[in-house]
Structures are given as C-alpha cells and as structure tokens.
Amino acid sequence: MLRNYITEKQNQLKNKTMDFYTPSGLHIFFQYPVEGVDVEKVIDKVETILPHHLLSEVEMIIFGWFDEFEERSINAFYDDNALYISYLQDSEEGLYDDIIHEIAHSLESAYGYQIYADEKIKEEFLRKRKHLHDILWESGFKAPLSFFENIEYDKEFDQFLYEKVGYDRLASLMQGIFVNPYAATSLREYFATGFTEYYLDSDHKFINKVSPALYEKVSFLQKIKNLDFDG
C-alpha cells in the first residue's frame, strides 16, 4: 500500500511539471497527461508538414480540460496565441485533426484580410448553404432561409443541424457539397474545416473538387510572399 501511495504521488508530481519545447520553440504544456497517444510524434508531424509562417500565431499548446469545452460542446479552441486541446484523445489522427483545425482559426486574426476580403469563400459558402436549404426542405427538414444566409455561428442553427437533422443524416444529404457537416455551421468553420482537410489529404483532390474556391484560398496561404502586407 505504501509503495502504491508513493508511486501515485510521484506520478502526480511528474504530471504537474510535464512540458517540453519543440525545436521551433513551441511550448507544449500538460495540465493532464494524454494517454495512449504519442503527442510528440503528432506535434512533429504538424511542424514538418505546415509551412513555418502558418504556425507563427501559436506559441503554446495546452492539454487539459477547460470550462469552454462544456459550455460550447467543443474539445479544442484557440485563444491569445495558445491552442487549448482536450487531454482525452482517441487517436493520433484525431489529435492531428484538432491541432490543424485550431491553427486555422489562429490565422484568422493575422491574415483575416487575405482570407476573407475578396469574399470568394463567402460566396462559395453561401451558395452551398442555399443548396443545403433546398435539399433539407425537400427532405422534410424545414427551416427559414434566413438561417442559411447568416455566415456567423448561430447556436439555434447548429442545434437544428445536430438535433433535428442529425449529423449522420446530414452527412448523407450534403455529400459533395461540404467536406463534412461541421463545415456548414459558419463561414469560419467552413474555412477551418477546409484548411484541415487540405492537410489530411495530401493530394488535395477532395477539397479541390468539393470547395474549389476554398482550396485556392488555402493554397494561396502556403506561400508567405502572398501574405506580405507590403505586396
């Protein structure tokens, strides 16, 4: 019993101080340990695949559990140069997805003008929303068109998609329109899911076929010279 107690206390102390820095200087901190997933391997993959300038807004990744997760029904978010990621992870693929998605959101503050100013992805998003409205209406899921014309996140609209339609049914109905159901919830999520898909599929065929304007925008972001405010 004493040995178990000492071991437990040692593990608790280790967990409290467990953190590391990547070669590029990214600080990885664990509020709680991530079990069953090789975090260092995933972080290394992220830093290897993404161009360095697309990581410039992230200084720290914190693994733990935060009030926002329960309040907003999410498992990751970006805020003030840090990614907050749930310590509960099922796979390396899922963790990679979470990190890339939140990196996409980090870019909106730094490169929002380059991403949204020409309104190309907004126009593409709204066309798809209108198409989705028509499909759902014909399938018996009736909601006002104004729901679909709002590019900002709307909790009521999200609940309509998640609870009334259901993400499984939605995924079937919107096949070939959005890369996944979450992409339909807002313009910002449309961008972030497309950005993530770009890095999940190395040949980019799916995102290019489904959302060509979004594909072109993410491709544009790959070169730092395109993001130079001085031209």
Side-chain angles (χ1 to χ4, degrees), residues 118-212:
D118 61 10
E119 298 196 339
K120 288 183 178 179
I121 62 173
K122 175 185 175 182
E123 292 168 359
E124 182 176 74
F125 174 71
L126 287 175
R127 286 197 302 270
K128 290 175 178 293
R129 274 280 196 88
K130 175 61 168 59
H131 191 185
L132 179 61
H133 166 269
D134 295 344
I135 290 174
L136 291 176
W137 192 275
E138 293 174 1
S139 301
F141 300 102
K142 302 186 184 299
L145 183 59
S146 58
F147 258 9
F148 297 80
E149 294 174 334
N150 179 16
I151 65 171
E152 302 297 333
Y153 175 80
D154 182 280
K155 187 174 183 180
E156 186 178 3
F157 179 70
D158 192 17
Q159 288 177 334
F160 166 74
L161 295 180
Y162 180 71
E163 297 177 3
K164 291 189 177 182
V165 182
Y167 271 13
D168 289 341
R169 180 72 182 276
L170 191 62
S172 176
L173 291 172
M174 66 165 49
Q175 190 171 6
I177 305 174
F178 290 93
V179 295
N180 61 39
Y182 198 55
T185 57
S186 72
L187 179 60
R188 293 184 65 236
E189 295 306 337
Y190 182 66
F191 166 70
T193 54
F195 184 91
T196 305
E197 177 63 30
Y198 186 94
Y199 288 103
L200 292 178
D201 181 8
S202 59
D203 64 16
H204 316 309
K205 288 183 178 179
F206 182 60
I207 182 65
N208 190 17
K209 180 180 180 180
V210 174
S211 302

